[in-house]
Amino acid sequence: MTSASDRLAGERLDYLAGSLADAAPADPLELCNAWLRDAFARRESHGDISDPTAVVLSTVALGADGTPRPRSRTVLLKGLDADGAVVFTNLDSDKGQELRTTPRAALLMPWYPLQRQVRIEGRVEEVPAAESDAYWATRPRGSQLGAWASHQSRPIDSREQLEAQYAEVEARFEGVEVPRPEFWGGLRIHPQRIEFWQGRAHRVHDRIVYERATDDTGSGSWERHRLQP
């Protein structure tokens, strides 16, 4: 029987979904929003993008000897505007602590059926409390309770213990609104670099990158250029 790993070297996919014109807009946010709309439309028409908001967040952890260790996980994109991309999380989690120590991140937005991806890199800071409060109020009650119940990224002995923690929180807040914990909030990635990748035939893909003319400020004009695949 052929194992899954045996198939890796021979796996091939033709990239024929479209092109990324040289006449891309001067503002990358315009293109990013257009691609997001395309991803939502694809979900409605084909159903093969289960969640267009699913993105991969990469941070840098420092080992005991100071060695940098990249770490990635999938999160949900909950905001995108001229100030940057926003995700929400337990700020005491591994990613929250890593971003306090090294407040820079990379965000990958992959839409595989469209043969597209967007890469955003930049400085990270917590969003204002009022912004976190506003989003928290839109979350389902179960998700609010789950945020209180889980000490995210910390070890736990069993699933039963986790469910017991949830039950305790559920009882604590019975009949009242669930407040936002101080340890939970939003993180904004201020983009310094945004790259758009569109799959093309023969692996001669389109790559257009936007970079800030000013360094590490999250503001300033964009410089645009094409990269070789």
Side-chain angles (χ1 to χ4, degrees):
M1 180 180 295
T2 302
S3 69
S5 60
D6 292 335
R7 296 184 56 183
L8 295 179
E11 185 67 16
R12 295 289 184 272
L13 174 68
D14 288 332
Y15 291 91
L16 302 170
S19 62
L20 182 54
D22 285 322
D27 184 351
L29 184 63
E30 181 181 337
L31 182 56
C32 199
N33 277 316
W35 279 21
L36 266 171
R37 289 192 295 269
D38 289 347
F40 279 106
R42 175 78 184 206
R43 182 177 67 176
E44 295 301 315
S45 63
H46 290 71
D48 52 3
I49 297 180
S50 60
D51 190 346
T53 73
V55 299
V56 178
L57 175 67
S58 297
T59 56
V60 176
L62 298 178
D65 60 354
T67 302
R69 299 174 180 175
R71 304 181 72 180
S72 300
R73 75 285 289 160
T74 300
V75 296
L76 300 179
L77 183 68
K78 291 300 179 182
L80 182 66
D81 57 26
D83 292 327
V86 177
V87 301
F88 289 89
T89 189
N90 184 318
L91 300 173
D92 290 335
S93 65
D94 282 351
K95 59 183 170 297
Q97 294 187 48
E98 288 155 12
L99 288 169
R100 285 195 196 102
T101 302
T102 307
R104 300 192 65 84
L107 201 66
L108 172 66
M109 306 163 70
W111 299 299
Y112 300 119
L114 293 172
Q115 299 178 358
R116 287 175 174 174
Q117 60 181 331
V118 178
R119 298 167 59 193
I120 299 176
E121 301 170 12
R123 178 177 54 86
V124 179
E125 67 178 4
E126 292 184 26
V127 306
E131 189 172 340
S132 290
D133 289 339
Y135 175 69
W136 175 265
T138 71
R139 302 190 87 208
R141 183 178 179 86
S143 298
Q144 293 176 336
L145 293 171
W148 275 99
S150 173
H151 306 291
Q152 194 174 105
S153 303
R154 305 286 77 80
I156 195 166
D157 291 335
S158 66
R159 176 72 192 186
E160 289 74 19
Q161 182 180 344
L162 181 61
E163 291 173 350
Q165 290 174 188
Y166 185 92
E168 185 278 324
V169 168
E170 190 174 31
R172 189 196 322 169
F173 294 114
E174 184 177 5
V176 299
E177 291 188 1
V178 182
R180 178 178 65 87
E182 290 187 3
F183 58 76
W184 190 97
L187 297 167
R188 175 173 283 107
I189 299 93
H190 294 282
Q192 179 68 24
R193 185 181 191 275
I194 304 178
E195 180 185 325
F196 295 85
W197 182 98
Q198 174 70 68
R200 296 293 302 273
H202 313 303
R203 300 299 192 266
V204 187
H205 307 304
D206 282 341
R207 295 176 65 188
I208 291 183
V209 65
Y210 295 76
E211 294 185 276
R212 295 284 192 188
T214 53
D215 183 40
D216 202 32
T217 63
S219 61
S221 60
W222 290 100
E223 295 179 351
R224 182 188 63 204
H225 51 274
R226 179 179 283 274
L227 300 179
Q228 298 184 59

